[in-house]
Amino acid sequence: MRRIIGLVIGVALLGMLFAGSFLGAFHAPEPHGVPVAVVAPAEQVGQLQGGIDGRRAGAFTLRAYGSAAAARAALLDREVDAVLVPAEGRLVVASAGGRTGATVITAAFQVAAQAQGRTLKVEDAVPLPPGDAGGISGMFYVLSVILPGIALSVLLARVAPGLGLAARAGVLLAGSLVAGTANAWLADVVFGALPGSFGPLVAVSAGIALAVGLVVAGLVKVIGTPGVGVAALLFVPIGLPASGGPLGARYIPEWYAAVGRVLPVGPAAEAVRNTVFFGGAALWTPIGVLALWALLGLVLLALPGRRAQAAPAVPRTPVAA
């Protein structure tokens, strides 16, 4: 009976972990320090910053740029999330970088313009593709790449527990390439949700699956089957909401976003987004985080594995002659 009660309590706590993590991150999204380029003198930008802070303190960080071309380049390089050109009454967003973010930015600056009796034209410099008008495919795509990495590591540990480091890493690499190619084909060619960058998307997808697979394989070797649970908890109920999910990291609690920046899911989503929609801009940071996770997995795989406990000796019973 105690085991049954413990099982029920454990399942309830697991459900609470999922609910608390996802709802805590997504239930009341608010912008935090969203960078916006403003094509205007620094003095005017400072005045605009004061007005924005009066309405939503800390929501947006305005940066002065000398020309619309420089500001637009910063948008395409993922340095800012929008461009405001006050002299032209124009706001430039990139919904492919995050539909929620583009919507929130547009609403905030339209309200500010209306308060001054002005109208604001909105331009979408990098729109979402028709195959993903809602802007949610990228996050689910990342999950579809992470799960094969976990599954391959677990199954490989069962099917071929005696594989050495090089052989295990080789199988994980091959499996990651296959999974990455298959998923990229579906996302690009079949559904058109992440179109136009099939080769780079394959490479990024394989890298994500490999990084996750190496970590899970290393955890399984060092601590056994519980390592799968540890990885699953880190990557799904914690990593997914901490990444910002479809909202984006700038729209969830800042402390949680900080956690998401060091877990694989957030950098993986950023790498996919920047590869497909922004020509590979700003890839060094997310790829670097994934590389560190892959390195951690290799280190764990190089450590001595758990030793199976020897079965207790059975005393022999003398047989009467």
Side-chain angles (χ1 to χ4, degrees):
M1 179 58 72
R2 289 183 179 180
R3 289 184 178 181
I4 295 176
I5 294 174
L7 179 64
V8 171
I9 292 175
V11 170
L13 291 175
L14 181 62
M16 290 177 66
L17 172 63
F18 272 78
S21 185
F22 279 88
L23 297 180
F26 300 147
H27 80 288
E30 289 288 340
H32 301 284
V34 177
V36 176
V38 180
V39 184
E43 182 179 353
Q44 183 180 354
V45 173
Q47 294 173 354
L48 290 172
Q49 182 75 70
I52 290 291
D53 286 342
R55 294 180 180 86
R56 304 180 80 166
F60 302 98
T61 300
L62 306 186
R63 301 175 183 176
Y65 282 80
S67 69
R72 190 183 187 90
L75 175 66
L76 298 180
D77 288 340
R78 307 293 287 141
E79 296 173 8
V80 298
D81 288 358
V83 175
L84 177 66
V85 189
E88 301 177 9
R90 182 163 56 97
L91 177 69
V92 185
V93 297
S95 60
R99 182 185 178 93
T100 298
T103 302
V104 170
I105 294 169
T106 299
F109 283 91
Q110 281 183 333
V111 168
Q114 290 171 0
Q116 299 175 354
R118 300 179 180 181
T119 58
L120 192 64
K121 298 178 293 183
V122 180
E123 172 191 345
D124 195 344
V126 189
L128 286 162
D132 184 28
I136 61 173
S137 295
M139 181 53 60
F140 289 104
Y141 178 80
V142 168
L143 283 179
S144 75
V145 173
I146 286 177
L147 291 178
I150 296 176
L152 180 59
S153 297
V154 175
L155 294 175
L156 191 59
R158 289 182 175 274
V159 173
L163 278 181
L165 172 58
R168 190 172 299 276
V171 174
L172 289 174
L173 174 59
S176 298
L177 282 171
V178 172
T181 302
N183 285 352
W185 176 73
L186 285 173
D188 183 354
V189 179
V190 177
F191 298 117
L194 299 171
S197 299
F198 179 74
L201 182 58
V202 168
V204 169
S205 303
I208 295 168
L210 178 62
V212 171
L214 286 172
V215 171
V216 174
L219 287 172
V220 169
K221 180 178 181 182
V222 173
I223 63 177
T225 303
V228 181
V230 171
L233 287 175
L234 278 177
F235 298 158
V236 181
I238 297 176
L240 178 54
S243 73
L247 299 181
R250 299 187 190 277
Y251 298 89
I252 64 173
E254 294 179 273
W255 69 268
Y256 212 2
V259 172
R261 282 192 288 271
V262 299
L263 293 177
V265 180
E270 186 178 356
V272 168
R273 186 185 306 118
N274 292 356
T275 295
V276 174
F277 298 118
F278 294 91
L283 278 181
W284 284 110
T285 297
I287 294 299
V289 173
L290 292 171
L292 288 175
W293 279 95
L295 179 60
L296 172 62
L298 288 172
V299 170
L300 292 175
L301 283 173
L303 295 176
R306 291 197 320 161
R307 293 184 178 179
Q309 293 182 352
V314 179
R316 296 182 177 180
T317 304
V319 179

